[in-house]
Amino acid sequence: MAVRDELGRAKSRSTKFRVQNTSSMGWRSTSKHWWLWMQVVVVLVVLASEFGVHGQDLGTWEILLANAGIASMHAAVTNYGTVVLLDRTNIGASQIALPNGTCRDSNDLVLPHDCTAHSVLFDPSTNTVRPLTILSDTWCSSGQFMPDGTLMQTGGDFEGIRKVRTFVPCPATGNCDWVESTTQQLQQPRWYATNQLLPDGRQIIIGGRAVFNIEYIPPSANGPLYFDFLNATNDGQNDNLYPFVHLLPDGNLYIFANRDSIVYNYVTNTVVKTFPRIPGEPRNYPSAGSSVMLPLLASNQFSVVEVLICGGAQYGAFLEPWTRKPCSITCERIVVTDPNPIWVEEQMPIRRCMGDMILLPNTDVLIINGASIGSQGWGFADDPVLNPVRYMPYGSPDARFTTLTPSTIPRMYHSTANLLPDGRVMCAGSNSHQFYTFTGDYPTELRIDAFSPPYLSASVAPIKPTISVYPLQVTYGTPFTVTVSTPSALTTVIELNLMSAPFNTHSYAQGQRLVNLNVGGSVQVAAASVYQITATAPPTPQIAPPGYYMMFAVNQRVPSVAVWIRVTS
Ligand SMILES: *[C@@H]1O[C@H](CO)[C@@H](O)[C@H](O)[C@H]1NC(C)=O
Ligand SMILES: *[C@@H]1O[C@H](CO)[C@@H](O)[C@H](O)[C@H]1NC(C)=O
């Protein structure tokens, strides 16, 4: 009942917003079917009171900070658990001053003398932000962590379009800040590119608007390298931007742009596999779908790779936004490693574009944020989708989606979502306007909030594991032990999952992956429920490129708080 109340309240607050409730499940209460409708209501009320346990089991929302100072467009979680948020310059004054009273004098289009910050560091342990110093335009840039935990951030607009910026994380109380290189720059001007960390520790940077090529950081002597796939997938709306890139366990890259995808061997610069065209809408920027590589599983020795792509905008939604085209309702899933792969279609409970797809530590996928009409672009979307949806990849096909508790904050264009080490998903930003605009239907959003998925509910506390002893660093393929305790005795083997911290921008989390570890079993080491678990580090840097990962212990689909662990050769 509490669930229905919560939905009802959210709906009455803002009837414009898309809140999934019982009346939008496809049933029509025509007089002919009133009796059927009544039966459905009775069943749903019973189900809600049975399983919608006091609003908890469908997740909860909390506002973390009323004003972050900037509207987050790009976000990444560092290995100190802090979150780097970025907006852009050429947007006017933000609502937070640059550190130490500094100002920036430049050719900024809006504010040549700007004393405000366009990046902040959020600390989830205190729910506070600290301004960071970034002086060039990061609009539509890209990024990725390097193996030593440094956030590398590239490109943007105007004077930032060839910039290489680094942020070396520090403890939350520290003073670490951005460094914008004055000596190194990109080989090509880039915005809307995708970065991916490679097994050898380099980053590959793929594409961008009107740049159908690839380059590396550190740069390769023969770059940039022309990449015909990007030319071939370009169309009248440039639907090949922010390509979806997944590093495969064989070391090749799965790359998806517009509606096509390939496996690319970057070592030999050859396309080694071509997939059938995806059904339905274009899925990349500006058509606003999202993608994850499903968890790499120890149970199949990381030999099966599946890619999931959900949502998108109809072709033309970007060129003719006044047509208000409904967003995609489909997810498409493909087994990349199959000899003859095909797309398998599933229907989401709610249409969505600009959704963020976030891997959860228990191997579920959360689809969060976005809209159900339009596409990416300033003012091009409407009907924000407030309900996150959970997709359980290994559930029975007719029961994989669950519609979860709605937020109260629309998060559409230029918003972010990131998994925090405690298992919450932090959401920030949303700016449907070119500049900071606090009027109209969708004012620029400065609030930060977080969604606690059902696995954080108090009802699962008796089985929630806690990691107490663990190594700070592990070497490929070598065994290590972890001590885990649970409030009640274990009934199944605890799993260990490593999760990268991706760079999230424009509805796609660059470099996101979950690597499930081989676990040898648990040995009880104390009278209480304390267990020592023997695990094997990921076998190769192709399966888990070197760097910092959040390691979660998972007991019956309930994750611990993560610890940071460095994977290295
Ligand atoms: C601001 O001042 C602190 C303390 O003196 C210093 O550590 C930090 O580097 C300064 N930051 C900038 C951006 O000048
Ligand atoms: C890009 O594709 C177009 C056709 O769509 C073709 O005419 C052109 O030659 C291609 N560019 C390059 C550099 O191959």
Side-chain angles (χ1 to χ4, degrees), residues 99-100 102 133 175 177:
N100 302 349
T102 53
T133 311
N175 276 323
D177 207 338

Side-chain angles (χ1 to χ4, degrees), residues 226 228 231-232:
Y226 174 70
D228 192 57
N231 186 26

Side-chain angles (χ1 to χ4, degrees), residues 58-108:
L58 296 174
T60 56
W61 286 91
E62 64 191 307
I63 306 264
L64 304 184
L65 186 59
N67 188 343
I70 68 165
S72 172
M73 184 188 306
H74 325 288
V77 178
T78 76
N79 63 303
Y80 288 93
T82 54
V83 190
V84 177
L85 305 178
L86 292 147
D87 189 1
R88 53 176 289 221
T89 55
N90 291 301
I91 199 175
S94 74
Q95 296 196 357
I96 185 166
L98 275 166
N100 302 349
T102 53
C103 295
R104 178 180 70 108
D105 289 296
S106 70
N107 299 326
D108 192 293

Side-chain angles (χ1 to χ4, degrees), residues 525-562:
V525 292
S529 300
V530 180
Y531 301 86
Q532 198 169 67
I533 296 168
T534 305
T536 307
T540 66
Q542 286 73 25
I543 291 167
Y548 286 92
Y549 288 81
M550 290 176 268
M551 182 171 70
F552 291 90
V554 182
N555 182 23
Q556 298 172 64
R557 297 179 42 75
V558 174
S560 67
V561 170

